[in-house]
Amino acid sequence: MTTTRLAALGREEPALLALAQRLLAVAESGLGSMLLPGGEAFAFTMAGRKAPDGSWTVERRGTSTRYAAITVLGARFLPEDRQRAVLGGRTAEEFTGLLVESLPAVTNLGDAALIAWAAAETGHPKLSDAVARVEALDEKDRPQYTVEAAWVLSALAAARSTVDVERRFSAARDRLLRARIGDSPLFPHATGPGLVPWYRAHVSCFADQTYPLQALARAHAEGEGDPEALAASEACAARICELQGDGGQWWWHYDARTGSVVEGYPVYSVHQHAMAPTALFDLAEAGGTDFGASIRKGLRWMTDVPELAARPEHREPLILDELGVTWRKVYRGDPKKAVRAARGLGTRVAPNLRLKSLDRVYRPVSVDRECRPYEFGWMLHAWLGGSI
């Protein structure tokens, strides 16, 4: 398949097109092994272990409803035969049916929102049931985690042309816009007080930025236009791109008050090859700025990892084609996430405090040898979405 997104990548940097195509092949091959026996659910994670002889074993662990829904959102862009190969013999719509049938037992708002989003995108006939479950779980005036609030808005935007969701859509859109602190372009970790301890209420993560900017861009695109939503999406995107690392890193923790970085690590593969691209592509296709240069810079990190290249003894590939995985992240390996905690506490009282000595003590040279289904779901969504 050649999408406009892949075609544009090929025009700008042919080597990166080859990398994206390689990653997409890894995603398709890997997702099949992430499906649990019976073909009705996906594992939470695949954990890799290297034997003394250099061979690898990869073990499925846990199960995840939300990861299954995200996988469907990406797999729906594949031709039908390849959907069935990834989804245990089912099409994306058929697998969505399994998720919709599970909704009465779903108690997490984010899981329900992702299922409703998948139902809207696959044209599932029980979309109204899925939307009703989201509404039942989304208690009025109750703060929600920003990521889940963003998924609600994306689901309602996708359902808008099929089901009457205008009241809930407007409330979800307004909730995200109101969540920002002062004139900061970034989003906090929750839409209101009460969910996050006071000492880290100012700290938000990369997902707290990409999902809202994607949802607000989609809110603008799916109706008669919403300049305020588009402007908020644009401002958030511009700021995270401005803060992007010299090696293409999408940093992990931000100060939602000041729009600055609190702690950069871990750097997650999914942010580099999937989450940043899918959000920024959706923004551009909604009429916003084209941040293609930042997308390409981030993608390049997958094979040119400066954190590992600096120390030969730590060099290892993050993409293992034969296993169908991309290792999850590069991190500091500090005990009990000490750097993150210290910087979170420090910036609470002194914004922009860096505690630079921690960078020398805890260098980001560790690799988390896990891979999760949603990483590949968003990858398929990022590069196979858009216009064909």
Side-chain angles (χ1 to χ4, degrees):
M1 297 175 66
T2 300
T3 65
T4 55
R5 296 173 179 182
L6 288 170
L9 185 64
R11 288 193 299 271
E12 295 292 339
E13 290 194 48
L16 283 184
L17 173 59
L19 174 58
Q21 291 172 328
R22 176 190 175 194
L23 285 165
L24 289 167
V26 169
E28 283 194 60
S29 66
L31 280 171
S33 64
M34 295 176 177
L35 198 65
L36 296 178
E40 297 185 355
F42 276 88
F44 174 76
T45 193
M46 303 289 284
R49 186 177 64 202
K50 193 173 187 179
D53 64 2
S55 63
W56 287 95
T57 58
V58 183
E59 176 189 6
R60 285 190 296 261
R61 294 180 182 173
T63 184
S64 175
T65 297
R66 68 174 50 184
Y67 290 176
I70 294 170
T71 299
V72 167
L73 283 168
R76 68 190 174 92
F77 291 111
L78 295 168
E80 183 176 314
D81 60 328
R82 287 158 62 188
Q83 289 181 32
R84 294 186 185 279
V86 164
L87 299 173
R90 296 177 173 86
T91 65
E93 182 184 350
E94 290 166 352
F95 200 95
T96 298
L98 297 178
L99 296 173
V100 171
E101 293 302 321
S102 75
L103 273 171
V106 171
T107 58
N108 179 271
L109 176 61
D111 292 3
L114 287 165
I115 293 171
W117 188 357
E121 299 289 10
T122 60
H124 195 274
K126 292 188 176 181
L127 171 60
S128 59
D129 292 348
V131 169
R133 185 59 179 160
V134 173
E135 184 167 2
L137 292 172
D138 194 3
E139 297 178 30
K140 185 178 180 181
D141 299 327
R142 177 184 175 185
Q144 300 291 350
Y145 290 108
T146 298
V147 164
E148 297 184 351
W151 288 340
V152 170
L153 181 58
S154 288
L156 296 175
R160 205 174 179 191
S161 62
T162 307
V163 180
D164 181 8
V165 296
E166 289 309 302
R167 180 181 59 83
R168 294 298 305 164
F169 173 85
S170 296
R173 174 257 192 205
D174 293 347
R175 175 171 59 190
L176 274 185
L177 292 176
R178 288 196 307 266
R180 293 170 298 171
I181 302 170
D183 59 359
S184 173
L186 300 187
F187 292 85
H189 192 57
T191 62
L195 293 179
V196 183
W198 68 268
Y199 55 83
R200 68 178 311 275
H202 64 297
V203 179
S204 60
C205 68
F206 188 70
D208 295 324
Q209 314 314 319
T210 56
Y211 290 125
L213 82 84
Q214 178 184 38
L216 290 166
R218 286 175 163 261
H220 170 74
E222 292 293 339
E224 298 178 356
D226 186 337
E228 185 181 3
L230 183 65
S233 176
E234 178 96 14
C236 179
R239 186 57 179 155
I240 62 172
C241 289
E242 182 181 358
L243 294 171
Q244 188 178 20
D246 292 340
Q249 302 95 333
W250 295 109
W251 301 126
W252 180 222
H253 274 156
Y254 301 86
D255 190 325
R257 304 166 303 179
T258 65
S260 58
V261 174
V262 170
E263 162 58 3
Y265 293 94
V267 173
Y268 287 85
S269 294
V270 66
H271 298 167
Q272 307 295 135
H273 65 54
M275 281 171 54
T278 197
L280 296 174
F281 279 137
D282 282 355
L283 170 60
E285 291 173 8
T289 297
D290 180 356
F291 289 101
S294 295
I295 292 171
R296 294 189 295 275
K297 187 177 179 181
L299 182 62
R300 202 176 297 119
W301 181 89
M302 289 298 303
T303 52
D304 184 10
V305 185
E307 292 82 358
L308 303 181
R311 297 198 168 202
E313 68 272 23
H314 293 287
R315 289 177 186 169
E316 65 173 288
L318 297 183
I319 308 169
L320 282 76
D321 307 68
E322 68 280 9
L323 296 181
V325 299
T326 57
W327 291 145
R328 181 164 168 74
K329 64 179 182 279
V330 172
Y331 66 107
R332 294 187 186 277
D334 46 327
K336 298 183 178 180
K337 303 174 182 176
V339 175
R340 186 186 312 182
R343 286 182 168 157
L345 285 168
T347 53
R348 181 66 189 178
V349 295
N352 301 316
L353 180 68
R354 291 299 303 149
L355 301 173
K356 292 183 179 180
S357 61
L358 295 173
D359 291 325
R360 295 189 295 272
V361 177
Y362 300 111
R363 297 183 181 276
V365 293
S366 299
V367 175
D368 181 357
R369 298 175 186 89
E370 289 188 43
C371 186
R372 301 183 181 181
Y374 86 101
E375 302 176 26
F376 290 160
W378 284 136
M379 187 200 297
L380 296 174
H381 193 278
W383 296 103
L384 301 185
S387 304
I388 303 297

